[in-house]
């Protein structure tokens, strides 16, 4: 086995060399191979050696998180892929892509969020909510390992073209300077922390100039603290990377590392706690988020421990998301009522400092919709909902009601309560979406 701080990727091409699975049956290995044609497979030596408990397969949460398995696919898709797996590469990929397209690879109308600027579409950026611009640097469109629930896999599996990613950040910086209401930039991916320090430095430079005083926060969304904490400890450019963080903080801006943690075991190693301390020593703040996922974290006590442990490590719990309507949804999804119960039971049992977390939240086409709870109004059982973020800021913090539905797993499964035809935002949303498709200048 290589030293733990030497990154070794495992993919469908070499996973049979993982020492911990040396005695697995051929059938079991082939199941992984077949599922991996659809759900991109990438794990690594840290995940395999330090996070997964190999005595608890297949139930281990981190195994479930990074190893594709038969149950992630619908039976008919699995059968079709199993039949195609021995075909020549081109035909096999054709079958795989066809199945992938059935799995809703562009959920929540994300392609409608690409902004227009000086008569051109600003590729590599999304601007959905007034205050925040998302930025997708081309060099950050992969991850140190892949999550089996991820909806970004069109990027990894070549279903979207790389022209949607940004090669340089100056045009996005110009856009933000011209939109004074924008205060936040969210650098996302993939995982931006796969970039080397010099490349990240180059991307960040235009955003920390004095001529963009409206830009106050730079957020970096990352799963690297789970998948490769050595990024901040022993990679050749670890020290340089932390210098880039320091530079952002010294520019007078808030640097928020938006860390994705799905389970408390991800916070259990010395490497991760050391990495967290080093990031914090630059003046950066770490906020945390995760979807609630069946088979991985569908128990209140897991969330209770996750938030508590995060606060122990001076991090700030931020969002609990509902699993999106994409990919292996049938495997991971929980009914909305169950998401709310898990949130509520966990939230009741932590101190106020852990209650910075908001959820459960659906990041859907009209905005981020929070499930406030289930109750009865005028004799009708209802979900009480509100917008934490809206395509129109006027929608934010306005409660609304949906008819209770015990099987609903997403916003589009819900209908308005009290016999109404539409939710209050639906007419405006149609208008906003059609205007987004054309230049706004
Ligand atoms: C969540 C999200 C943001 C950030 O919203 P905050 O409420 O400020 O955290 C920005 N853009 C998109 C598309 C998002 O989904
Ligand atoms: S780290 Fe994020 S972008 Fe990468 S596979 Fe996981 S969820 Fe997807």
């Amino acid at each position: 086995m290589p030293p733990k701080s030497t990154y070794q990727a495992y993919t469908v091409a070499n996973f049979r060399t993982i020492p911990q699975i040396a005695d697995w049956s051929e059938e079991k290995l082939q199941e992984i191979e077949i599922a991996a044609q659809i759900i991109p497979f990438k794990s690594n030596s840290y995940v395999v050696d330090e996070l997964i408990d190999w005595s608890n397969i297949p139930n281990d949460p981190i195994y479930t998180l990074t190893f594709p398995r038969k149950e992630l696919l619908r039976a008919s898709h699995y059968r079709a892929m199993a039949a195609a797996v021995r075909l020549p590469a081109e035909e096999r990929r054709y079958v795989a892509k066809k199945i992938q397209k059935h799995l809703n690879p562009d959920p929540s109308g994300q392609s409608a969020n690409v902004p227009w600027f000086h008569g051109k579409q600003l590729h590599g950026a999304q601007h959905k909510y007034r205050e925040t611009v998302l930025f997708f640097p081309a060099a950050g469109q992969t991850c140190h390992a892949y999550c089996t629930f991820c909806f970004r896999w069109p990027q990894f599996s070549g279903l979207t073209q790389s022209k949607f990613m940004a090669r340089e950040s100056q045009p996005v910086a110009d856009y933000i300077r011209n939109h004074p209401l924008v205060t936040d930039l969210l650098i996302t991916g993939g995982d931006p922390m796969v970039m080397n320090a010099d490349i990240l430095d180059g991307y960040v430079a235009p955003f920390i100039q004095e001529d963009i005083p409206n830009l106050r926060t730079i957020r970096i969304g990352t799963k690297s603290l789970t998948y490769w904490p050595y990024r901040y400890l022993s990679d050749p450019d670890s020290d340089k990377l932390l210098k880039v963080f320091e530079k952002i903080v010294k520019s007078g801006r808030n640097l928020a590392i938006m860390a994705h943690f799905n389970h408390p075991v991800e916070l259990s190693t010395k490497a991760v706690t050391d990495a967290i301390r080093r990031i914090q020593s630059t003046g950066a703040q770490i906020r945390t988020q995760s979807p609630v996922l069946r088979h991985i974290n569908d128990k209140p006590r897991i969330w209770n421990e996750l938030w508590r442990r995060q606060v122990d490590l001076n991090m700030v719990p931020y969002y609990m998301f509902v699993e999106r309507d994409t990919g292996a949804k049938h495997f991971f999804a929980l009914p909305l009522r169950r998401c709310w119960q898990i949130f509520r039971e966990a939230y009741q049992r932590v101190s106020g400092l852990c209650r910075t977390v908001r959820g459960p939240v659906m990041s859907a086409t009209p905005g981020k919709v929070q499930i406030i709870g289930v109750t009865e109004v005028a004799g009708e059982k209802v979900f009480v909902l509100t917008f934490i973020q809206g395509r129109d800021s006027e929608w934010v913090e306005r409660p609304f009601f949906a008819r209770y539905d015990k099987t609903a797993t997403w916003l589009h499964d819900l209908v308005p309560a009290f016999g109404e035809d539409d939710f209050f935002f639906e007419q405006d949303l149609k208008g906003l979406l059609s205007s987004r498709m054309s230049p706004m200048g």
Side-chain angles (χ1 to χ4, degrees):
M1 228 178 278
K4 284 178 174 164
S5 57
T6 304
Y7 177 82
Q8 162 72 55
Y10 293 119
T11 68
V12 70
N14 71 345
F15 80 104
R16 286 168 178 258
T17 64
I18 295 174
Q20 289 89 339
I21 64 172
D23 62 347
W24 283 18
S25 70
E26 181 57 27
E27 190 190 345
K28 217 163 146 185
L29 297 170
Q30 279 181 15
E31 283 183 11
I32 294 179
E33 261 160 15
I34 292 162
Q37 307 298 317
I38 313 289
I39 311 282
F41 177 22
K42 185 174 173 190
S43 195
N44 67 52
S45 42
Y46 170 75
V47 173
V48 163
D49 297 335
E50 300 191 52
L51 294 184
I52 295 175
D53 172 3
W54 290 94
S55 70
N56 184 28
I57 305 300
N59 297 326
D60 179 77
I62 308 303
Y63 176 82
T64 307
L65 182 64
T66 60
F67 279 68
R69 66 169 87 165
K70 188 176 180 174
E71 293 76 16
L72 289 172
L73 303 184
R74 296 196 179 279
S76 61
H77 288 160
Y78 183 82
R79 273 197 306 274
M81 201 64 242
V85 81
R86 302 278 161 238
L87 296 177
E90 207 173 305
E91 291 166 52
R92 189 179 68 223
R93 273 200 292 274
Y94 174 81
V95 175
K97 291 226 159 107
K98 225 169 101 183
I99 296 172
Q100 285 177 326
K101 284 193 177 139
H102 277 286
L103 303 179
N104 190 21
D106 178 27
S108 309
Q110 295 186 82
S111 43
N113 305 331
V114 179
W116 291 83
F117 190 46
H118 295 318
K120 282 199 289 209
Q121 269 200 303
L122 196 61
H123 290 304
Q126 284 184 19
H127 190 188
K128 180 169 171 180
Y129 307 132
R130 193 164 63 193
E131 295 78 14
T132 305
V133 167
L134 266 54
F135 177 58
F136 297 79
Q141 299 308 312
T142 186
C143 311
H144 293 100
Y146 294 154
C147 309
T148 46
F149 67 78
C150 181
F151 67 97
R152 295 252 159 92
W153 41 256
Q155 281 152 238
F156 314 142
S157 60
L159 281 185
T160 43
Q161 296 135 321
S162 57
K163 71 170 189 189
F164 289 102
M165 310 306 158
R167 306 226 164 264
E168 47 166 5
S169 55
Q170 191 62 54
V172 179
D174 294 340
Y175 176 87
I176 294 174
R177 192 184 310 103
N178 274 273
H179 290 77
L181 295 177
V182 174
T183 57
D184 286 38
L185 172 76
L186 170 51
I187 305 177
T188 185
D191 192 329
M193 298 321 292
V194 300
M195 291 192 278
N196 79 36
D198 288 331
I199 291 181
L200 180 69
D201 196 28
Y203 274 123
V204 164
F207 296 117
I208 58 175
Q209 304 302 316
E210 280 174 18
D211 65 353
I212 319 189
N214 52 309
L215 184 61
R216 312 286 280 276
T217 284
I218 294 181
R219 307 190 208 182
I220 302 179
T222 184
K223 182 88 186 157
S224 55
L225 282 165
T226 292
Y227 285 158
W228 192 244
Y230 299 109
R231 184 74 198 91
Y232 307 95
L233 302 175
S234 56
D235 277 359
D237 62 342
S238 290
D239 292 345
K240 230 177 181 180
L241 181 64
L242 294 166
K243 285 269 176 340
V244 178
F245 286 8
E246 268 171 23
K247 215 153 102 181
I248 297 172
V249 174
K250 286 210 178 102
S251 82
R253 291 178 175 80
N254 168 235
L255 171 60
I257 304 300
M258 310 303 292
H260 301 203
F261 293 114
N262 309 118
H263 193 280
V265 76
E266 295 164 43
L267 297 168
S268 67
T269 67
K270 179 168 186 322
V272 73
T273 50
D274 287 352
I276 289 166
R277 297 258 180 274
R278 284 204 88 191
I279 291 172
Q280 288 166 337
S281 75
T282 67
Q285 215 171 30
I286 307 177
R287 292 178 186 267
T288 62
Q289 59 193 49
S290 168
V292 52
L293 301 155
R294 198 156 64 94
H295 300 293
I296 292 184
N297 59 24
D298 54 349
K299 304 269 182 321
R301 66 168 169 74
I302 296 176
W303 285 88
N304 178 332
E305 200 183 324
L306 185 63
W307 296 332
R308 185 60 252 177
R309 183 87 185 112
Q310 288 167 355
V311 173
D312 296 346
L313 294 167
N314 289 323
M315 299 188 286
V316 184
Y318 191 54
Y319 277 132
M320 177 210 261
F321 290 114
V322 176
E323 164 63 353
R324 276 170 187 266
D325 179 34
T326 178
K329 165 115 179 167
H330 70 281
F331 183 81
F332 290 116
L334 293 155
L336 297 175
R337 63 173 168 84
R338 182 65 195 143
C339 298
W340 169 67
Q341 277 169 353
I342 293 169
F343 181 87
R344 182 164 174 248
E345 277 180 43
Y347 195 84
Q348 283 170 347
R349 285 166 182 74
V350 288
S351 88
L353 288 182
C354 306
R355 294 186 191 168
T356 49
V357 67
R358 294 170 303 169
V361 174
M362 292 176 271
S363 197
T365 307
K368 284 201 171 68
V369 176
Q370 180 183 12
I371 302 157
I372 302 287
V374 175
T375 192
E376 234 179 71
V377 177
E380 184 174 337
K381 197 169 181 185
V382 294
F383 281 116
V384 186
L385 306 160
T386 192
F387 280 100
I388 285 180
Q389 275 294 4
R391 269 181 204 269
D392 183 337
S393 307
E394 285 302 313
W395 304 344
V396 173
E397 287 293 309
R398 182 170 157 185
F400 63 104
F401 301 92
R403 195 192 296 158
Y404 179 73
D405 177 339
K406 71 180 196 313
T407 62
T409 60
W410 195 251
L411 186 62
H412 57 45
D413 298 331
L414 298 177
V415 297
F418 319 128
E420 283 168 23
D421 292 332
D422 284 324
F423 290 118
F424 78 88
F425 55 87
E426 282 184 285
Q427 280 309 319
D428 291 349
L429 177 63
K430 277 183 202 141
L432 285 171
L433 287 179
S434 55
S435 70
R436 276 272 173 180
M437 296 299 184
S438 57
M440 299 190 300

